[in-house]
Amino acid sequence: QTNMGFALQMTGISPYVRFKGTTTSPLVPGTLQTINSRQAAKNGLVPSGAIAARLHERVAVGLVTNAPFGLKFDYGQNWGGNRYVTKSSLETLNIAPTLAIKFHDMFSIGGGVQIQRSQAMFASQTSTLNPLAQFLFQEAGTHSRAKIHGWGGGWTAGFLFQPICPLKLGFSYRS
């Protein structure tokens, strides 16, 4: 049997998000304004990788990294809903070291920790309340941007039961 293995993967995502609707005008209270956005979601590549090594005939360790959640939006500064959102993003990285033990040829268990880094950003723009200033000076208003990031943790566990050769039954849990 092999003592080590690895896998690398890249998944392409191509989401499509547009907003169409109405909102109240920030310049003339009580009036409705039609707002349409451009294609806002951004294409991306999502990487993942895993490596496993057999330490003993019945003991193996592994390490998995992936990006379980993430997406980016950019509606632009000049769309009608810019006071709600102009850009937003969520990026995550998950790292999971694991250990597996084969107690019997029919039964194995495994477990590990989940370590996740997350980062989010949200931006918006408030329109100026003075329509004359907006027209004369092309005043777009105030830009705001918030960024947050942090680390989280959890655990994972599972078992594998193989009563007969081609049949494998398993269960896993991730907190």
Side-chain angles (χ1 to χ4, degrees):
Q1 293 186 359
T2 11
N3 289 328
M4 189 173 220
F6 70 94
L8 299 173
Q9 178 179 331
M10 198 68 95
T11 303
I13 58 170
S14 182
Y16 181 80
V17 175
R18 284 188 74 137
F19 180 86
K20 293 182 181 183
T22 58
T23 185
T24 56
S25 171
L27 302 176
V28 184
T31 62
L32 290 179
Q33 171 184 358
T34 300
I35 55 175
N36 295 313
S37 74
R38 65 184 186 196
Q39 163 32 14
K42 298 298 177 192
N43 296 340
L45 292 173
V46 182
S48 63
I51 187 165
R54 186 179 311 279
L55 299 180
H56 179 272
E57 181 180 305
R58 296 192 178 272
V59 178
V61 293
L63 179 68
V64 175
T65 61
N66 63 355
F69 310 103
L71 198 55
K72 290 184 179 186
F73 292 98
D74 184 354
Y75 289 98
Q77 300 291 332
N78 297 321
W79 83 290
N82 62 3
R83 68 182 186 263
Y84 304 112
V85 63
T86 55
K87 289 182 180 182
S88 67
S89 67
L90 172 66
E91 299 171 351
T92 59
L93 170 66
N94 191 65
I95 303 166
T98 58
L99 173 70
I101 301 171
K102 189 173 192 177
F103 287 106
H104 185 273
D105 288 341
M106 292 175 21
F107 187 72
S108 302
I109 65 166
V113 295
Q114 301 284 333
I115 304 163
Q116 192 162 112
R117 164 101 165 121
S118 299
Q119 178 175 299
M121 183 275 300
F122 180 83
S124 64
Q125 170 182 319
T126 58
S127 298
T128 182
L129 294 177
N130 185 334
L132 182 60
Q134 188 171 12
F135 176 75
L136 293 176
F137 306 112
Q138 296 298 303
E139 173 63 40
T142 304
H143 299 272
S144 64
R145 183 182 195 126
K147 289 178 113 176
I148 59 171
H149 58 85
W151 289 90
W155 57 277
T156 186
F159 70 85
L160 180 66
F161 177 62
Q162 186 173 3
I164 57 176
C165 187
L167 178 64
K168 293 180 181 181
L169 303 170
F171 173 80
S172 67
Y173 176 80
R174 179 176 173 178
S175 69

